[in-house]
Amino acid sequence: MSEPPLLFEPDHANRRALMTFNRPERMNAMSPDLQVLMREAIEEFNRDPELWVLIVTGAGERAFCAGADLSSTIPNATRATRDEPLKVNETRNLHEVHKPVLAAVNGYCIAGGLEFMLGTDIRVAAEHAEFGLQEVRWGIVPVGGSHIRLPRQIPWAWAMEILLTGRRLSAQEAWQCGLVNRVVPADQLMETTNEVADRICRNGPLAVRTAKEIAVRGAMGMSWEQAWSLESVLGTRAFGSEDAIEGPRAFMEKRDPVFKGR
């Protein structure tokens, strides 16, 4: 029996889950089956109050995710575009996930793989990883949020070079332009990513989720006044929690806090 194209492994003892694109023979390209399993895994992570951090990586040593499987996904998309009325998709991968999502980029992060990574919060890349949006080379465009997310996450000139030339960036270039947080040897990738997850999991989970939600929603084109109001409303939610009592108490008692996420 063959393995599923996506693996989801909750680790409740360490407050995290690992999601792995599991098609190494196809550079972990996204097939329709993988995309269904991916949505189900993200929903499960989002629902489970005992899972505080999601780590995403790819199976094998060559690729994080090389985008859509051209033999299945693209023909379906182009046929649908010709035969059906315009359908507007008002969300993108991970947009409504307010828990931290970390990417451990273990190789090629191309097209849909890069688009998925743009929905994550903290990114650690192996030294041999490469990044790119090569759709324009084949007469199509990336429609998984890259035109919106990329110019909001890195400088305009870098974003336009990635979008308009279709060339691939090395891991070092990705770090230079702020696309990833760290570049490490391949054999240190998961260790480093888990160290970041450990630091996050030592914090109050409600406070962490609130901080991410304010940042994500506030960065999506709101006026300053709207963003300040959002911060006030969601910040009040965090200050009204049991964790907000436990944190300062632990500080004063010179001990580690015991957060409950409520």
Side-chain angles (χ1 to χ4, degrees):
M1 183 176 177
S2 61
E3 287 192 338
L6 183 130
L7 303 176
F8 181 72
E9 302 169 90
D11 178 5
H12 289 96
N14 290 301
R15 304 287 195 179
R16 70 200 62 173
L18 176 65
M19 188 174 83
T20 306
F21 300 124
N22 190 38
R23 302 182 73 215
E25 74 287 352
R26 302 285 297 183
M27 304 285 281
N28 296 319
M30 290 190 183
S31 64
D33 288 347
L34 186 153
Q35 290 175 314
V36 169
L37 292 174
M38 181 179 70
R39 286 192 290 269
E40 291 174 352
I42 291 170
E43 288 174 7
E44 182 178 343
F45 167 71
N46 224 10
R47 285 194 308 265
D48 192 333
E50 300 304 314
L51 295 176
W52 296 359
V53 176
L54 176 65
I55 296 174
V56 184
T57 193
E61 300 176 355
R62 297 181 62 203
F64 173 76
C65 175
D69 189 329
L70 297 182
S71 65
S72 57
T73 307
I74 296 299
N76 291 341
T78 54
R79 187 182 311 114
T81 301
R82 291 192 302 270
D83 299 341
E84 298 175 11
L86 174 67
K87 293 182 180 178
V88 177
N89 182 354
E90 295 182 346
T91 189
R92 294 294 185 268
N93 281 324
L94 300 171
H95 179 65
E96 296 177 354
V97 178
H98 295 142
K99 299 178 187 180
V101 182
L102 280 53
V105 185
N106 56 307
Y108 289 112
C109 183
I110 306 296
L114 178 53
E115 295 208 283
F116 184 91
M117 192 198 76
L118 291 175
T120 67
D121 304 301
I122 297 174
R123 303 134 190 189
V124 182
E127 290 173 330
H128 68 283
E130 293 186 28
F131 303 80
L133 294 169
Q134 299 183 281
E135 283 85 345
V136 291
R137 293 179 58 189
W138 318 119
I140 55 177
V141 293
V143 290
S146 292
H147 302 93
I148 314 304
R149 281 172 163 166
L150 196 60
R152 296 184 183 192
Q153 294 183 12
I154 65 174
W156 176 265
W158 274 105
M160 289 301 100
E161 182 170 352
I162 293 169
L163 284 166
L164 303 182
T165 69
R167 84 170 181 91
R168 294 204 296 259
L169 272 63
S170 67
Q172 197 63 31
E173 286 178 303
W175 176 78
Q176 269 184 292
C177 71
L179 193 58
V180 302
N181 298 74
R182 294 168 179 75
V183 176
V184 299
D187 61 359
Q188 297 176 23
L189 179 65
M190 294 309 299
E191 178 185 355
T192 304
T193 307
N194 274 295
E195 286 173 356
V196 176
D198 289 340
R199 292 184 67 88
I200 293 172
C201 288
R202 288 198 289 269
N203 301 327
L206 182 59
V208 167
R209 291 196 293 271
T210 300
K212 176 176 174 178
E213 184 176 359
I214 293 170
V216 170
R217 294 177 61 183
M220 292 298 109
M222 289 184 174
S223 68
W224 287 112
E225 291 76 14
Q226 291 171 319
W228 301 148
S229 297
L230 174 71
E231 183 180 56
S232 298
V233 170
L234 296 183
T236 298
R237 181 182 67 186
F239 275 95
S241 68
E242 292 180 27
D243 283 354
I245 298 172
E246 166 64 8
R249 179 180 292 161
F251 174 78
M252 290 185 288
E253 295 174 359
K254 295 181 171 55
R255 60 176 176 82
D256 291 334
V258 181
F259 293 120
K260 299 178 179 177
R262 60 178 185 264

